[in-house]
Amino acid sequence: MSSEDPVHTIAELIDWPKEGKWLAVLGHPIAHSISPAMHNAALTCIQKIDTRFADWRYVRFDVPPPELPLALKRLLEAGFLGLNLTAPHKVLALTEVVHIDEAARPIGAVNTLKAGTQGWEGFNTDGQGMAAGILSDLGLSLKGATVVLLGAGGAARGAAVECLQQGVSALWIANRTQSNLETLLRDLSPLCPSSCVLKGFSPQTPPPELPKGAILINATSSGLKQGDALPIEIAALPRPSAVYDMIYNPPCTPLLQAAKELGIPCSNGLSMLVNQGAKALAHWTGLDSRQLAPAMDSAARQAMRQ
Ligand code: NDP
């Protein structure tokens, strides 16, 4: 990240420069985030054709969890138009918003805030970003698909809700900790139409009735660190049609390596990051996310190479 792109703190908000329209990402830590590079690339692109966005700029703030309420208050007062939230703020912010988008409510987390007249309004674009990423990278739609989802944390929750909202025909979920899996299944059950199969299983013992040709999605953090084990033994599953790993750094996880060795089409989660960002920027600008995604994609790929 360049020196022109500093990490800000909430202390700076007391005399934040008023000129310009500001957007930001909040996280802790945040120095690794490539969201400023992605969003500023898209803004540069649209500024050439639309003067309404001439003075828009996207920055990043390091906000420790206890400081989140004060940060959100000061950002609203300073006139910020929109925010992205990353770990650990997605759930913490729920109590700080005045309105939660209907589609985000069952996820129980928000990754996008928009300044409204009464306060921050919350949205969640992670699941939509994942669906758009699977479509763009693998050419697969979730509608009518069978999905095997690994994980029961925040990202898995967004993915599962999106799968059900898009009308998958079956959703099988595996997670290391059984109690977390049961909580997720219980929360998803009211969203699941009777025509859709919703089942859980242990990644250690995949059931024989798992269907062939599923889209296998990794929403666990297994694969983030060097030496991590596979979140599931792909060869022990009925052959999936494709594998999507939400992890994008490292770009090739053990799961993706195993898929490549088996000749199964696969992709990492960079396209999810890009598309969740494009959908967030679409909320703030009113533009179509498909118009914003290409510049964000190029910037994300360039940032990953640095
Ligand atoms: P959470 O901490 O909320 O959930 C972590 C999940 O991973 C849990 O299901 C946990 O299982 C499981 N897990 C952790 N370690 C292991 C392990 N060693 N073996 C098997 N399972 C494990 O994290 P998030 O849901 O926020 O994030 C999950 C992943 O998704 C991360 O890798 C993150 O980087 C990625 N992500 C990518 C995004 C993108 O834009 N591409 C956006 C958001 C997330 P258990 O219940 O047993 O603890």
Side-chain angles (χ1 to χ4, degrees), residues 269-303:
L270 194 64
S271 53
M272 172 175 175
L273 181 79
V274 166
N275 283 290
Q276 63 76 30
K279 285 176 189 293
L281 192 53
H283 274 299
W284 304 320
T285 58
L287 299 176
D288 188 326
S289 62
R290 287 168 300 184
Q291 181 187 349
L292 303 164
M296 298 177 98
D297 187 67
S298 304
R301 285 177 200 284
Q302 193 182 338

Side-chain angles (χ1 to χ4, degrees), residues 151-155 175-177 180 219-222 224 246-247 269 272-273:
N175 192 53
R176 179 180 61 176
T177 307
N180 293 341
T220 77
S221 20
S222 183
L224 270 180
M246 288 192 187
I247 296 171
M272 172 175 175
L273 181 79

Side-chain angles (χ1 to χ4, degrees), residues 1 5-9 24-36 58-64 84-89:
M1 207 63 67
D5 205 357
V7 172
H8 297 284
T9 63
V25 58
L26 276 51
H28 184 69
I30 197 63
H32 65 286
S33 173
I34 63 172
S35 289
Y58 188 105
V59 291
R60 57 190 161 161
F61 279 83
D62 192 317
V63 178
N84 280 136
L85 303 173
T86 187
H89 297 314

Side-chain angles (χ1 to χ4, degrees), residues 15-100:
D15 53 2
W16 188 260
K18 292 290 179 206
E19 306 85 52
K21 304 276 193 309
W22 296 92
L23 305 166
V25 58
L26 276 51
H28 184 69
I30 197 63
H32 65 286
S33 173
I34 63 172
S35 289
M38 288 191 329
H39 283 269
N40 285 318
L43 288 173
T44 302
C45 207
I46 58 175
Q47 280 159 357
K48 290 179 190 145
I49 50 171
D50 197 331
T51 51
R52 283 179 300 162
F53 307 109
D55 57 352
W56 286 44
R57 178 112 184 94
Y58 188 105
V59 291
R60 57 190 161 161
F61 279 83
D62 192 317
V63 178
E67 293 181 11
L68 183 68
L70 180 61
L72 292 178
K73 181 173 174 289
R74 285 193 184 164
L75 286 158
L76 194 66
E77 286 165 0
F80 276 67
L81 298 180
L83 304 174
N84 280 136
L85 303 173
T86 187
H89 297 314
K90 293 184 191 183
V91 176
L92 297 173
L94 279 180
T95 52
E96 307 300 321
V97 298
V98 291
H99 171 76
I100 301 175

